[in-house]
């Protein structure tokens, strides 16, 4: 076989699902691991009732974000509509398809209870001509079997008797997915059809159509090899739900997952690299990936694991890279891409890039996604901190030591000669000693007053970067609330 030609063929019916991203990735691996391999995007947009133009851009953008570069496309299935019609007519003339005018009700009325599902073949030999209500059906062989040699699942045998005479073109003349997909795969010279398991049942139908086209056209095109990838499931072992589970690739990008981490994680869904290491570079993934090693069992899409892996990737960035990576979340006005569903709570005027570059190292090790940075550094940019009232109550209002520590910190901080982290640390620890509190407990009311929360970046460096004027102002405001 020559160089592989693979494709993903998503229908633009909604956001770009992580399952489609995994399918795209496995296709891309196959294209990239052989010299001359070709990765194609084909938008399957023939079902005008379900497809929407605005869902095409997210597909293209998500692939670009994940670094799954295309060699051809995006092609539009609808651009090939004439070829689909031509194929349907040729197959009809060759006897592979027949016209059928049965309504759903008529079929239901004919069927005995317990009869097999699907069409009963009523019009198979009626020799109908095309009419306003006639669909075209495939004349599925009544006997024999169709063998799908699947690179993942091995040999899957389908009894032709259980494949009904499926509809290939609607009464409007519109050619449906099963045939359009085959005509396009032949046209695009696809060598491997790698797609989700939900399409396994389509494979025998498409193989039958493929063979029929070989015969009717006289143009023999070798069947592609098939690989049906295992389903992605949630922690309840249910198929990922578009409504209940976070499944859009875009939502992960918006939250600040790195493309490299997502690619690495998706690669582990149904396959694993050699060795125990889960963090594997793209180059190694491409080199090691084998379709034949993909597992049959459903793969658990574990958001926690992805988040953990993302944290590891983030920690590997050097400080400048981390600052640059944070930009879409902290200063979206300066970036070409920005998360669609969130903006920072501060304005462009309040944000200072040089201050952010100083404070970013304080949070770098503490975040697992880039969007988490915002809440950790907001107090540097907002005029006043967003106070978490429950925490404030606990460590300032309800604890008699709270106001004591605040008053003492205020007094000493105002008089400090050097305003730097180590000095602030020493002073706070001195206050703790005096009032009989550990450093941790002495820090709590100060942290809450100045940052608004009890958790966050290291306090004393934060105070240093925030500056004396603003620190003192916030201590005073907090103290005023205790009076
Ligand atoms: N349009 C189909 C889908 O979105 C593609 C199936 C295939 O890859 O053959 O699932």
């Amino acid at each position: 076989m020559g160089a592989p030609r693979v494709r993903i063929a998503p229908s633009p019916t909604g956001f770009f699902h992580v399952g489609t991203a995994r399918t795209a990735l496995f296709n891309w691996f196959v294209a990239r691991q052989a010299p001359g391999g070709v990765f194609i995007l084909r938008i399957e947009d023939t079902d005008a009732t379900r497809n929407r133009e605005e869902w095409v851009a997210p597909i293209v953008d998500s692939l670009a974000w994940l670094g799954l570069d295309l060699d051809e496309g995006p092609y539009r299935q609808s651009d090939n509509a004439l070829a689909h019609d031509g194929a349907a007519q040729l197959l009809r003339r060759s006897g592979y398809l027949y016209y059928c005018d049965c309504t759903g009700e008529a079929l239901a009325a004919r069927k005995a209870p317990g009869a097999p599902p699907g069409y009963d073949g009523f019009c198979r030999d009626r020799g109908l001509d095309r009419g306003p209500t006639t669909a075209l059906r495939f004349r599925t062989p009544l006997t024999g079997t169709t063998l799908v040699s699947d690179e993942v699942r091995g040999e899957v045998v389908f009894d032709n008797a259980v494949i009904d005479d499926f509809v290939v073109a609607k009464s409007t003349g519109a050619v449906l997915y099963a045939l359009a997909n085959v005509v396009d795969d032949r046209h695009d010279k696809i060598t491997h059809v790698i797609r989700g398991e939900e399409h396994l049942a389509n494979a025998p139908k498409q193989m039958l159509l493929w063979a029929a086209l070989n015969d009717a056209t006289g143009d023999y095109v070798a069947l592609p090899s098939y690989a049906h990838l295992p389903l992605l499931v949630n922690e309840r072992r249910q198929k990922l739900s578009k409504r209940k589970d976070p499944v859009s690739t875009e939502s992960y990008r918006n939250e600040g997952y790195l493309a490299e981490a997502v690619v690495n994680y998706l690669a582990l869904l149904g396959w694993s690299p050699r060795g125990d290491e889960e963090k594997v570079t793209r180059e190694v993934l491409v080199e090691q990936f084998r379709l034949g090693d993909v597992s049959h069992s459903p793969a658990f899409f574990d958001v926690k694991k992805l988040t953990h892996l993302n944290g590891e990737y983030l920690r590997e960035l050097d400080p400048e890279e981390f600052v640059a990576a944070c930009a879409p979340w902290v200063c979206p006005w300066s970036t070409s891409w920005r998360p669609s569903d969130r903006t920072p709570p501060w304005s462009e005027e309040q944000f200072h890039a040089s201050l952010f570059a100083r404070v970013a190292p304080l949070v770098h090790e503490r975040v697992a996604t880039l969007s988490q940075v915002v809440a950790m550094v907001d107090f540097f940019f907002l005029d006043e901190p967003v106070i978490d009232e429950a925490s404030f109550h606990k460590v300032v209002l309800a604890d008699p030591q709270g106001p004591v520590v605040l008053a003492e910190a205020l007094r000493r901080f105002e008089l400090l000669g050097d305003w730097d982290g180590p000095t602030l640390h020493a002073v706070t620890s001195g206050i703790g000693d005096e009032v009989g509190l550990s450093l941790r407990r002495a820090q709590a009311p100060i942290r809450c007053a100045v940052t608004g929360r009890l958790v966050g970046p290291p306090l004393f460096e934060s105070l240093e970067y925030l500056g004396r004027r603003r620190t003192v102002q916030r201590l005073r405001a907090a103290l005023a609330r205790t009076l």
Side-chain angles (χ1 to χ4, degrees):
M1 200 189 278
R5 290 179 58 86
V6 296
R7 80 322 188 254
I8 55 155
S11 302
T13 53
F15 44 67
F16 193 70
H17 194 284
V18 285
T20 317
R22 193 269 314 256
T23 301
L25 182 65
F26 285 14
N27 274 282
W28 184 84
F29 285 155
V30 169
R32 291 293 166 263
Q33 62 190 196
V38 172
F39 176 56
I40 300 171
L41 169 61
R42 186 173 73 223
I43 306 285
E44 296 213 318
D45 60 350
T46 44
D47 185 350
T49 54
R50 294 178 61 231
N51 301 324
R52 296 231 304 267
E53 184 55 34
E54 67 257 41
W55 293 116
V56 174
I59 297 173
V60 175
D61 293 349
S62 294
L63 289 173
W65 175 60
L66 293 170
L68 307 185
D69 54 320
L70 300 174
D71 301 298
E72 292 179 24
Y75 295 139
R76 301 285 183 132
Q77 185 160 65
S78 52
D79 288 344
N80 218 11
L82 281 179
H84 306 150
D85 292 343
Q89 288 312 322
L90 178 67
L91 290 177
R92 185 191 56 80
R93 287 196 301 276
S94 311
Y96 285 103
L97 309 183
Y98 62 87
Y99 282 116
C100 162
D101 64 359
C102 295
T103 60
E105 295 79 55
L107 175 61
R110 274 199 304 272
K111 275 201 175 177
Y119 186 62
D120 61 357
F122 183 78
C123 292
R124 211 175 152 99
D125 299 314
R126 287 176 69 206
L128 292 181
D129 282 329
R130 178 166 191 186
T133 59
T134 53
L136 270 174
R137 288 186 182 274
F138 186 72
R139 196 184 294 280
T140 304
L142 296 172
T143 57
T145 55
T146 301
L147 175 78
V148 181
S149 269
D150 193 278
E151 298 219 25
V152 173
R153 325 201 124 243
E155 303 210 320
V156 189
V157 180
F158 290 84
D159 216 335
N160 291 336
V162 300
I163 305 174
D164 75 340
D165 286 358
F166 53 95
V167 176
V168 167
K170 292 201 278 198
S171 58
T172 57
V175 172
L176 295 182
Y177 155 76
L179 178 60
N181 181 271
V182 167
V183 169
D184 292 348
D185 280 347
R186 291 167 65 90
H187 176 268
D188 296 335
K189 302 190 168 47
I190 297 303
T191 57
H192 298 66
V193 168
I194 305 164
R195 60 188 176 185
E197 182 183 275
E198 65 276 20
H199 289 293
L200 181 61
N202 292 327
K205 297 179 185 174
Q206 294 184 314
M207 287 174 64
L208 290 168
L209 285 169
W210 196 290
L213 283 168
N214 275 348
D215 176 47
T217 60
D219 177 19
Y220 178 83
V221 183
L223 265 179
S225 51
Y226 288 94
H228 288 92
L229 308 176
L231 209 64
L232 301 191
V233 294
N234 62 21
E235 69 282 355
R236 294 180 302 283
R237 298 271 137 195
Q238 293 158 343
K239 185 173 178 232
L240 284 188
S241 142
K242 284 195 181 180
R243 276 181 303 110
K244 290 191 230 124
D245 300 304
V247 293
S248 85
T249 315
E250 208 185 5
S251 69
Y252 289 97
R253 188 181 188 190
N254 283 338
E255 272 192 48
Y257 288 79
L258 296 177
E260 284 313 306
V262 175
V263 162
N264 187 159
Y265 183 66
L266 291 176
L268 308 179
L269 295 174
W271 175 76
S272 40
R274 286 195 289 276
D276 294 335
E277 208 33 69
E278 294 214 313
K279 188 161 169 295
V280 188
T281 64
R282 190 184 287 252
E283 291 67 36
V284 172
L285 294 173
V286 169
E287 189 195 304
Q288 292 192 2
F289 180 81
R290 293 290 174 275
L291 268 179
D293 295 339
V294 172
S295 136
H296 306 188
S297 343
F300 173 26
F301 182 75
D302 185 349
V303 181
K304 285 202 193 86
K305 211 160 162 184
L306 167 58
T307 308
H308 176 79
L309 194 61
N310 196 59
E312 284 189 32
Y313 272 86
L314 284 179
R315 283 189 285 282
E316 246 178 32
L317 300 179
D318 63 35
E320 295 74 39
E321 287 171 331
F322 180 70
V323 168
C326 291
W329 290 268
V330 301
C331 51
W333 45 84
S334 69
T335 57
S336 55
W337 177 84
R338 58 196 63 107
S340 57
D341 54 355
R342 60 198 87 199
T343 44
W346 53 81
S347 68
E348 187 171 352
E349 291 68 41
Q350 286 172 309
F351 181 75
H352 296 286
S354 54
L355 176 58
F356 182 70
R358 292 182 81 192
V359 305
L362 302 182
V363 299
H364 190 163
E365 301 270 311
R366 293 178 161 74
V367 292
T369 65
L370 292 166
S371 64
Q372 290 173 356
V373 169
V374 172
M376 287 203 173
V377 301
D378 58 357
F379 65 93
F380 285 108
F381 304 109
L382 295 172
D383 296 340
E384 284 168 15
V386 182
I387 303 278
D388 172 39
E389 288 300 330
S391 304
F392 191 82
H393 184 82
K394 182 165 155 228
V395 298
V396 178
L397 300 177
D399 183 346
Q401 301 274 46
V404 178
V405 170
L406 288 182
E408 203 45 33
L410 178 61
R411 192 179 69 77
R412 297 195 193 188
F413 287 3
E414 277 186 311
L415 297 172
L416 264 190
D418 293 325
W419 185 262
D420 59 46
T423 310
L424 290 159
H425 183 153
V427 170
T428 308
S429 154
I431 298 173
D433 289 345
E434 223 162 82
V435 298
L437 290 177
S438 66
L439 177 64
R440 196 178 59 80
R441 287 201 52 205
Q443 274 189 64
I446 302 176
R447 181 189 284 282
C448 194
V450 178
T451 74
R453 298 188 192 86
L454 291 178
V455 288
L459 180 63
F460 304 113
E461 279 149 298
S462 297
L463 299 184
E464 176 183 332
Y465 300 151
L466 186 68
R468 187 196 317 251
R469 187 181 57 79
R470 294 212 282 165
T471 302
V472 161
Q473 209 174 39
R474 291 175 188 191
L475 291 175
R476 200 172 281 128
L479 209 49
R481 290 186 57 188
T482 67
L483 298 178

